[in-house]
Amino acid sequence: PADSFSGSYQRLSNVVSNKHSFVMRLNPTSFQGTDFVITEYPRPALRHVPNKSISEFDDTFQAKTQEMLMIMYESKGVGLAAPQIGLSENVFVYNPSDSKNMERVVCNPKITKYSEEVIVEQEGCLSLRSDECAGQVARSKWIETEYQNELGQKVIRRLKDFEARVFQHEFDHLKGILCLDRFPPEDREAAQENINKLLGLYTDSDAAADPDEEEFNSMMPRPLSARYMPPLEEEEEEEQEQPEGKSGGFGGGGFGAGGGKKATKKKKETKKKVKARDGKRSDNPMFKKTGKTGFANRK
C-alpha cells in the first residue's frame, strides 16, 4: 500500500538565505479509505492538552485505529498519534518493525519509569513533514509502561531500544510535545528555516507554535541543552584482520620461535566514529566548540 502512494509525495527544492538548501516532503493530501489527513505544525490539535481518555472500545473505535495504522504505513512512518490526524484523543498506534505482528494500539498510556541511561539519536516527525526539521533527541534506553490495548485490556510492558524510543515519541504527542521541543539549540537553529516555512503556510489565527508550559517543564528525560550537547556520530567502514586458521609450525599450536603463524583475511566492518561538534550548522559562536561534552558519557 505504501508504494501505491509514492506518487502522492511532492518534493519542493529551495535555497534559503543562500546558506541552507533543503528538500521538503509534502504529506499526501488524502488517503484511500479515510477522511483523515496528517495534521501539520502549527495546527492547534498538535498542542492541545489534555486529550480525551478512550472509554469505548467498540467497532467504531476499532475502525478508527485501523485507519490510523493505514495512514501510518502509507506515510512511511513507524507511529501515529491521534493529534496527528486532528483528534484530541488519548490513543496512538505504532509498529517498530517490518512485521504486522508488531502492530500496537496504545490507549490511555502511562510511562511509570524511565531508565537513567539515555540514548541520543536523530528524530523527525510526519507532522513536521521535512527531513530538515529533524534533530538529535535524548530518550531513555528503556521504559516501563501501562496502557490499554484496542480491546480495552490492561497491558504492562517494559520496552527498550528502538521500540522504547517510538513509544516515547508518540507519548509526547499526547502531551502536546513535538520532537523539535527536545532538539538541542544548534539543531533547533538549523531547523528554524523550515519551521518558519511551516508557520508561514498556516494562515489561520489559532496557530499553536509552542507547547503547554507545564507539559514542557515536566518532560522526561530532560531535553538537550547548550550545556549538554552530544558529539556527532558518523559511520565509516574499516578493514580488520580476522584470524582464519593456522599454518606451518608443529601441530595446531606450533612450537617455540618456529610455531604456527595465523593466516588472516581482511573483513570490512562498519563502526560509528564519534566526531566533536564543530558548530558548522550554527551561526551562534557559543556552539563553535570542540571536544566531547558531558553528555557523551551518559549515552
Side-chain angles (χ1 to χ4, degrees), residues 9 13 38 42 61 68 182-183 202 245 252 297:
Y9 290 100
S13 298
I38 299 294
F61 176 73
M68 291 176 67
R182 293 182 174 273
F183 291 174
Y202 188 72
N297 297 324

Side-chain angles (χ1 to χ4, degrees), residues 24 41 124-130 133 178-180 183 198:
M24 179 169 280
Y41 177 85
C125 181
L126 292 174
S127 292
L128 295 173
R129 81 175 183 180
S130 170
C133 281
L178 301 177
C179 59
L180 64 85
F183 291 174
L198 291 172

Side-chain angles (χ1 to χ4, degrees), residues 34-193:
T34 181
D35 293 330
F36 294 123
V37 294
I38 299 294
T39 299
E40 297 179 346
Y41 177 85
R43 291 185 178 275
L46 292 172
R47 298 301 199 181
H48 181 270
V49 287
N51 288 299
K52 182 181 177 182
S53 295
I54 304 299
S55 57
E56 298 289 335
F57 299 87
D58 53 15
D59 291 345
T60 301
F61 176 73
Q62 306 292 332
K64 184 192 302 179
T65 58
Q66 288 303 306
E67 289 178 50
M68 291 176 67
L69 285 164
M70 181 268 294
I71 292 171
M72 179 190 78
Y73 288 129
E74 293 188 358
S75 299
K76 300 180 181 179
V78 294
L80 186 75
Q84 291 183 276
I85 55 171
L87 300 178
S88 298
E89 298 179 5
N90 216 21
V91 57
F92 63 79
V93 299
Y94 74 95
N95 186 344
S97 75
D98 295 328
S99 170
K100 289 290 187 76
N101 293 331
M102 288 293 289
E103 285 181 353
R104 298 286 183 264
V105 176
V106 177
C107 309
N108 310 320
K110 297 177 183 177
I111 299 180
T112 57
K113 190 171 184 179
Y114 294 84
S115 70
E116 291 185 7
E117 184 178 1
V118 174
I119 303 294
V120 177
E121 291 182 1
Q122 184 160 294
E123 287 187 16
C125 181
L126 292 174
S127 292
L128 295 173
R129 81 175 183 180
S130 170
D131 295 336
E132 286 292 316
C133 281
Q136 293 179 90
V137 174
R139 301 286 187 190
S140 289
K141 180 177 175 60
W142 58 262
I143 54 174
E144 294 179 359
T145 68
E146 294 181 8
Y147 61 90
Q148 292 171 278
N149 63 17
E150 65 273 23
L151 303 176
Q153 299 165 331
K154 185 175 182 179
V155 178
I156 300 177
R157 296 186 65 208
R158 180 185 172 110
L159 309 177
K160 64 180 182 178
D161 300 329
F162 183 63
E163 185 174 8
R165 175 171 291 272
V166 174
F167 193 103
Q168 289 172 83
H169 180 108
E170 301 307 328
F171 183 80
D172 271 358
H173 275 299
L174 302 185
K175 302 296 183 180
I177 300 296
L178 301 177
C179 59
L180 64 85
D181 301 320
R182 293 182 174 273
F183 291 174
E186 183 185 356
D187 288 7
R188 178 63 183 252
E189 182 184 329
Q192 195 62 49
E193 299 280 9

